[in-house]
Amino acid sequence: YDSLMQAPPAPYSVRPARHDEARVIAALFAECDRAFGLEPILLENDLLDDWRRPDVDLRRDTWFVESPHGELVAYAGIWSEGTTLVSSGAVHPEHHGCGLGAYLVDRIEEGAELQPAWDGPRITLLNIILPADHEARSLLTARRYVKARTFQHMEVRLATRSTRWPRPSRGCPTTPSGSSPRSCAPTL
């Protein structure tokens, strides 16, 4: 996996992430979210869950970019979801414009070719970015990525376990006479 750890732009260094660094990586994503006026959503446990996937090898699938002082300034990771390879990364706002985003996209694309199921039907690489991150969008668009979908994270904070949901004012629709609910099975 040495080729995946090619040197980043000076003065940075890179190595694989470690499980005990999930908290600091989640903090990097939170800092990036805040820079775009968003509430942070990635939690330490989310990263650990991704890293526990059977096909994830931190030595092959993560890039932890450090400043000369040993501070995390950028991170990227890749994992598979069915026939799609998914990647996500972040560059600390104070280090934008230093070539780290392009460096991470290079590593992700090279890492995608080393995934265990590369020889199968998997050809799609999905790179998750924030809609407000115009620099990331420009970088990926220049590399022939196209917008596939927009994702919205929606949540509600519950005061207690017994919080009641509001009832619809018009009532719920009823099943038409002579019909019954059934499972939806895709046609192939």
Side-chain angles (χ1 to χ4, degrees), residues 63-168:
W63 297 269
F64 188 101
V65 180
E66 297 174 303
S67 73
H69 307 291
E71 299 166 320
L72 173 65
V73 297
Y75 166 83
I78 188 169
W79 63 95
S80 67
E81 290 185 4
T83 60
T84 300
L85 293 172
V86 181
S87 65
S88 181
V91 175
H92 192 283
E94 292 177 7
H95 296 268
H96 281 197
C98 298
L100 294 174
Y103 168 78
L104 289 173
V105 173
D106 287 342
R107 300 294 74 77
I108 288 165
E109 290 175 351
E110 290 174 11
E113 294 181 17
L114 296 176
Q115 292 296 309
W118 177 255
D119 56 352
R122 184 177 294 151
I123 313 172
T124 304
L125 174 59
L126 176 96
N127 203 318
I128 299 171
I129 63 170
L130 295 172
D133 191 342
H134 302 294
E135 290 177 37
R137 185 179 317 120
S138 294
L139 170 66
L140 295 173
T141 301
R143 292 172 178 244
R144 300 182 318 168
Y145 284 75
V146 295
K147 180 179 175 182
R149 67 181 62 115
T150 300
F151 174 79
Q152 292 185 350
H153 178 92
M154 298 177 70
E155 65 183 44
V156 62
R157 300 212 186 270
L158 302 176
T160 66
R161 287 185 163 278
S162 63
T163 300
R164 301 235 184 250
W165 301 106
R167 302 236 181 244

Side-chain angles (χ1 to χ4, degrees), residues 1-6 14-19 50-64 75-80 85-87 103-104 106-118 122:
Y1 305 129
D2 291 339
S3 68
L4 294 175
M5 292 299 155
Q6 292 178 15
V14 66
R15 61 176 174 75
R18 297 186 313 255
H19 283 92
D50 287 340
W51 293 348
R52 286 185 192 109
R53 294 171 186 261
D55 61 334
V56 170
D57 179 340
L58 294 184
R59 295 171 300 140
R60 177 194 65 213
D61 302 330
T62 64
W63 297 269
F64 188 101
Y75 166 83
I78 188 169
W79 63 95
S80 67
L85 293 172
V86 181
S87 65
Y103 168 78
L104 289 173
D106 287 342
R107 300 294 74 77
I108 288 165
E109 290 175 351
E110 290 174 11
E113 294 181 17
L114 296 176
Q115 292 296 309
W118 177 255
R122 184 177 294 151

Side-chain angles (χ1 to χ4, degrees), residues 15-47:
R15 61 176 174 75
R18 297 186 313 255
H19 283 92
D20 64 346
E21 295 171 320
R23 178 170 288 149
V24 70
I25 294 168
L28 169 67
F29 277 91
E31 190 71 26
C32 293
D33 287 345
R34 282 190 210 82
F36 289 102
L38 302 170
E39 284 295 314
I41 61 168
L42 182 72
L43 303 175
E44 176 182 2
N45 286 338
D46 297 329
L47 277 170

